[in-house]
């Protein structure tokens, strides 16, 4: 591998990425800052690995998110109908600026803060159910249902209408190559659900984010129907999917470092730092959203032609020893400010405050309830989602331990 050799490399091994993406990306990073690769879809792309280059590229206006700027036959990412594709992850200014401004008027800090107590109640209820058995899968019973409850509460989805969002997102993020129809069905189901949900909110608005997004306007400007549906999809999909893995990966890191778990129980004020270190150490997105240069561009001293696909490796950047000392070590006292797990520049995650709050509450409630919880399998037997796009466990089997505390004990 060489950063300046334009020859196409062998395809990235999806199994190796699932087992240990950090070892795979470290090989690239050590060999050079930018590499021509073949993605898991068989299409060519440029992989950027160093922290400084990734951070700079995230904020470079020449690197477009608009798929209309990709060269013919290039990698475009997930194929979606227009009613789901008109979202912030596919837009550049001025459309991105306009829509983000409109959404920000509805997605306020006050609205997010109102969710704090409901999140804690939901976490406690889920832990009550877990406490009934000695063993549990913390993805299925905790890390997955908590975010979907939060997102549905935020959007105003009635409990009876909370369908199998996890199966839909699984089909989109980690599609089964032997059953391509599942991804198409998931897209159709999600579009139908959101279309009916928005129609209902327009007829009977309530005090929720979706109703506020329908009503929001800035002078004569407002969200059109495709933009509204696409934003609801983005909030549901990204807000759920990424938070599941942020919570699950953080729990695993603490289970594998019981000394630091004990420190957090003794001093909960360090939870915020633990969330930041977890996001750096094993974040939910190994790669940022693909980008397309609008002109011939130099990244890390390597010439990248206009219209090519650029993949920014957050996983490689977060383990770059030039930015983080001893980067393969999990350390809640590191002070992991500057990580890029939630983005950088104008595309910084709009839901970052909510994701941080959910993860902090999830960790706090779990550590408080089950101080003796341990993994129920060796770490080598844990199974990871086979995806280049996301980093998440398929299951997190644990033994709850004999020292479970009741609400009255706390």
């Amino acid at each position: 591998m060489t950063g300046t050799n334009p020859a196409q490399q062998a395809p990235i091994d999806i199994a190796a990425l699932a087992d240990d993406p950090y070892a795979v990306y470290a090989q690239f990073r050590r060999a050079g800052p930018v590499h021509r690769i073949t993605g898991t879809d068989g299409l060519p792309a440029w992989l950027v690995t160093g922290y400084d280059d990734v951070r700079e590229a995230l904020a470079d206006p020449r690197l477009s998110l608009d798929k209309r700027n990709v060269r013919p036959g290039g990698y475009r990412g997930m194929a979606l109908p227009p009613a789901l594709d008109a979202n912030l992850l596919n837009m550049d200014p001025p459309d991105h600026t306009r829509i983000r401004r409109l959404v920000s008027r509805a997605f306020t800090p006050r609205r997010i803060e109102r969710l704090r107590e409901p999140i804690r109640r939901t976490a406690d209820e889920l832990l009550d159910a877990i406490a009934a058995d000695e063993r549990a899968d913390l993805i299925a019973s905790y890390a997955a249902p908590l975010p979907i409850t939060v997102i549905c509460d935020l959007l105003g989805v009635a409990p009876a209408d909370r369908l199998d969002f996890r199966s839909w997102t699984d089909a989109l993020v980690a599609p089964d190559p032997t059953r391509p129809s599942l991804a198409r069905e998931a897209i159709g189901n999600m579009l139908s659900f959101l279309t009916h949900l928005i129609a209902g909110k327009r007829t009977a608005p309530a005090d929720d984010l979706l109703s506020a997004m329908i009503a929001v306007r800035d002078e004569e400007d407002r969200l059109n129907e495709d933009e509204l549906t696409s934003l609801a999809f983005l909030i549901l999909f990204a807000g759920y999917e990424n938070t599941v893995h942020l919570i699950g990966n953080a729990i695993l890191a603490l289970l594998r470092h019981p000394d630091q778990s004990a420190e957090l129980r003794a001093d909960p004020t360090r939870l915020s730092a633990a969330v930041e270190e977890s996001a750096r150490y094993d974040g939910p997105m190994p790669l940022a959203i693909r980008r397309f240069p609008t002109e011939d561009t130099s990244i890390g001293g390597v010439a990248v032609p206009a219209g090519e696909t650029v993949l920014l490796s957050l996983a490689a950047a977060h383990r770059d020893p030039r930015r983080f000392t001893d980067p393969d070590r999990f350390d809640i006292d590191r002070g992991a400010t500057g990580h890029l797990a939630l983005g950088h520049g104008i595309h910084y995650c709009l839901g970052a405050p909510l994701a941080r709050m959910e993860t902090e509450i999830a960790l706090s409630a779990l550590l408080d309830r089950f101080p003796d919880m341990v993994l129920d399998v060796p770490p080598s037997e844990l199974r990871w989602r086979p995806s280049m796009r996301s980093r998440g466990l398929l299951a997190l089997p644990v033994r709850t331990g004999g020292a479970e505390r009741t609400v009255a004990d706390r």
Side-chain angles (χ1 to χ4, degrees):
M1 305 171 208
T2 59
T4 56
N5 183 359
Q8 189 166 309
Q9 306 294 334
I12 285 183
D13 184 344
I14 191 68
L17 274 183
D19 289 340
D20 188 357
Y22 304 104
V24 175
Y25 288 128
Q27 287 184 303
F28 282 100
R29 190 183 59 240
R30 286 192 292 267
V34 182
H35 303 273
R36 178 78 158 171
I37 66 166
T38 300
T40 55
D41 55 4
L43 296 175
W46 295 87
L47 181 71
V48 184
T49 61
Y51 176 89
D52 289 341
D53 293 320
V54 169
R55 188 176 189 276
E56 182 178 346
L58 284 169
D60 190 335
R62 298 172 300 172
L63 298 181
S64 169
L65 268 68
D66 191 330
K67 288 182 280 192
R68 291 174 295 185
N69 288 314
V70 67
R71 66 171 179 76
Y75 170 82
R76 297 167 56 85
M78 190 185 299
L80 294 170
L84 299 181
D85 213 33
N87 63 66
L88 294 170
L89 299 186
N90 296 318
M91 290 182 176
D92 303 324
D95 284 340
H96 178 275
T97 307
R98 174 181 65 83
I99 291 180
R100 187 169 177 118
R101 182 182 65 244
L102 286 168
V103 176
S104 295
R105 295 167 79 96
F107 200 18
T108 62
R110 182 180 178 185
R111 187 179 297 279
I112 294 171
E113 184 59 31
R114 278 175 17 201
L115 294 171
R116 183 178 296 277
E117 286 304 315
I119 292 172
R120 181 66 198 223
R121 284 198 302 272
T122 300
D124 285 334
E125 290 168 1
L126 293 170
L127 294 175
D128 287 342
I130 290 170
D133 295 308
E134 182 183 348
R135 287 179 165 84
D137 169 9
L138 287 187
I139 300 300
S141 60
Y142 192 57
L146 179 60
I148 199 61
T149 301
V150 173
I151 290 298
C152 288
D153 284 346
L154 179 68
L155 288 175
V157 180
D161 295 330
R162 295 175 186 183
L163 305 179
D164 194 0
F165 294 118
R166 193 177 184 209
S167 68
W168 296 347
T169 58
D170 282 350
L172 295 179
V173 174
D176 184 345
T178 66
R179 303 176 66 189
S181 63
L182 291 181
R184 293 192 296 270
E185 290 172 7
I187 290 170
N189 288 334
M190 201 167 283
L191 177 56
S192 176
F193 175 79
L194 290 173
T195 300
H196 286 93
L197 181 64
I198 289 169
K201 294 294 180 185
R202 186 169 277 121
T203 301
D207 184 16
D208 55 59
L209 177 60
L210 190 53
S211 297
M213 286 167 53
I214 292 170
V216 74
R217 60 188 305 140
D218 186 0
E219 297 179 354
E220 296 305 311
D221 201 5
R222 67 187 309 155
L223 299 168
N224 66 40
E225 203 66 16
D226 280 354
E227 291 167 349
L228 179 61
T229 308
S230 295
L231 281 167
F233 166 73
L234 179 61
I235 292 168
L236 177 63
F237 180 76
Y240 164 66
E241 175 70 18
N242 291 337
T243 308
V244 171
H245 301 323
L246 185 60
I247 293 172
N249 295 0
I251 293 172
L252 175 61
L254 291 172
L255 287 172
R256 297 189 67 182
H257 298 82
D259 56 330
Q260 298 192 54
S261 297
E263 291 174 12
L264 283 179
R265 281 192 295 272
D267 183 7
T269 63
R270 298 158 73 185
L271 274 165
S272 177
V275 171
E276 301 307 310
E277 173 64 352
S278 297
R280 180 207 69 85
Y281 178 76
D282 203 6
M285 291 181 60
L287 297 170
I289 299 300
R290 76 286 172 275
R291 281 155 164 80
F292 315 109
T294 56
E295 59 187 63
D296 292 349
T297 305
S298 177
I299 304 175
V302 176
V304 179
E308 297 271 302
T309 299
V310 175
L311 301 177
L312 306 177
S313 176
L314 306 179
H318 289 158
R319 300 294 182 96
D320 189 338
R322 292 167 295 185
R323 174 59 179 82
F324 299 102
T325 302
D326 195 6
D328 293 325
R329 178 172 56 87
F330 178 73
D331 180 5
I332 62 174
D333 294 322
R334 176 186 300 278
T337 56
H339 73 73
L340 307 170
L342 298 170
H344 173 65
I346 65 170
H347 296 290
Y348 184 77
C349 177
L350 192 64
L354 178 58
R356 284 186 166 103
M357 180 194 295
E358 285 183 71
T359 306
E360 186 171 333
I361 292 171
L363 295 181
S364 174
L366 185 72
L367 290 170
D368 192 35
R369 181 71 69 93
F370 298 113
D372 295 328
M373 179 176 282
V374 295
L375 279 173
D376 199 23
V377 297
S380 60
E381 293 183 12
L382 292 170
R383 295 180 301 123
W384 295 86
R385 166 172 287 176
S387 173
M388 191 174 178
R389 300 172 183 167
S390 67
R391 170 72 172 166
L393 290 159
L394 294 175
L396 182 52
V398 298
R399 293 196 307 275
T400 56
E404 184 261 337
R405 300 188 219 176
T406 66
V407 173
D409 292 331
R410 294 196 297 274

